[in-house]
Amino acid sequence: EQHLSLRSDPMAYPDRLLNDNETVSVDLHPHWWFLMGPIVVMTSSIAAAVITLMVTEPDSTTRTIAAWVSIGAMALSALWLISRYGRWLTTHFVITNRRVIFRTGLLTKRGIEIPIDRVNTVHFQQGLLERLVGTGELLIESGGETGQQRFTDISQPDRVQRVIHAEMEARESGGRGAVAVVDVADQLERLESMLQRGTLTPEEFDRQKRRLLGS
């Protein structure tokens, strides 16, 4: 359930921007709802042009003016759609086993990175319409300089929230395991020092060593 997109996507987040041993769990473009504004305007412009042709008299001034207005509206909405699609294509919301990454921009880039181990809480918010189409907002609170970050037009934000929590738990579990290994190594070194000083007998050293390695 953690993998919300395929890494074979030609517009996927570039592997060259990942660190060594960093794996991607989520790689999302904005939800298609992000494109709805210019699509609605373009559709309305086309519908208005068709209605104008149907209800106005041929060669009338009203028809000519309405036709030019409709053409201008369609041209502007087409430019808006192309621009918005470019932003959609170059915007990534990525979750790895180490970071939450937001990156956007074609000619100029901007973005933010939040280390997984600094994430404190993750909230999502969806209105009724957003629930119906499967989009929403994600609010991430972290202990770093970024503090609180809000991300909009996130597909299936409830699933994304669960993925972040899973990565946080995996990171925390791995950290606890690493601490335990270091602690055992330190205790073994102390036991060896005590054996060399004669504080422990070889039998006592072996017994304590077995106890540590067994635990």
Side-chain angles (χ1 to χ4, degrees), residues 86-122:
R87 285 179 56 192
W88 178 89
L89 204 60
T90 56
T91 298
H92 293 270
F93 181 83
V94 179
I95 300 171
T96 76
N97 58 330
R98 297 183 181 181
R99 298 176 289 169
V100 176
I101 304 168
F102 176 78
R103 186 179 177 90
T104 185
L106 181 59
L107 299 178
T108 60
K109 299 285 187 181
R110 66 180 181 88
I112 185 171
E113 297 182 4
I114 305 174
I116 285 291
D117 53 10
R118 291 192 180 183
V119 175
N120 295 327
T121 56
V122 184

Side-chain angles (χ1 to χ4, degrees), residues 26-202:
V26 170
D27 183 358
L28 296 175
H29 295 299
H31 190 271
W32 59 262
W33 191 253
F34 181 75
L35 304 172
M36 186 54 60
I39 290 175
V40 169
V41 173
M42 176 175 285
T43 303
S44 300
S45 302
I46 295 173
V50 171
I51 293 173
T52 300
L53 293 174
M54 293 174 60
V55 302
T56 57
E57 297 180 1
D59 300 326
S60 66
T61 303
T62 302
R63 184 170 188 169
T64 302
I65 294 174
W68 280 109
V69 170
S70 299
I71 292 173
M74 285 188 288
L76 290 175
S77 60
L79 290 174
W80 185 18
L81 179 59
I82 293 171
S83 173
R84 183 62 68 93
Y85 180 73
R87 285 179 56 192
W88 178 89
L89 204 60
T90 56
T91 298
H92 293 270
F93 181 83
V94 179
I95 300 171
T96 76
N97 58 330
R98 297 183 181 181
R99 298 176 289 169
V100 176
I101 304 168
F102 176 78
R103 186 179 177 90
T104 185
L106 181 59
L107 299 178
T108 60
K109 299 285 187 181
R110 66 180 181 88
I112 185 171
E113 297 182 4
I114 305 174
I116 285 291
D117 53 10
R118 291 192 180 183
V119 175
N120 295 327
T121 56
V122 184
H123 306 278
F124 77 91
Q125 182 176 349
Q126 289 179 295
L128 178 59
L129 182 59
E130 290 174 324
R131 288 187 63 186
L132 292 175
V133 300
T135 186
E137 293 185 352
L138 206 65
L139 180 65
I140 299 178
E141 297 179 0
S142 66
E145 297 179 358
T146 54
Q148 190 178 88
Q149 292 293 325
R150 185 180 301 274
F151 304 96
T152 59
D153 299 301
I154 300 296
S155 299
Q156 305 178 54
D158 53 336
R159 289 186 62 190
V160 174
Q161 180 193 49
R162 292 198 298 272
V163 172
I164 296 177
H165 284 160
E167 293 292 359
M168 291 169 62
E169 291 175 3
R171 190 77 174 172
E172 185 178 352
S173 298
R176 285 199 298 264
V179 170
V181 170
V182 171
D183 185 57
V184 169
D186 289 342
Q187 292 189 52
L188 284 174
E189 287 182 2
R190 286 197 293 269
L191 289 176
E192 289 175 355
S193 297
M194 294 173 68
L195 176 64
Q196 293 173 359
R197 293 196 303 268
T199 307
L200 287 178
T201 65

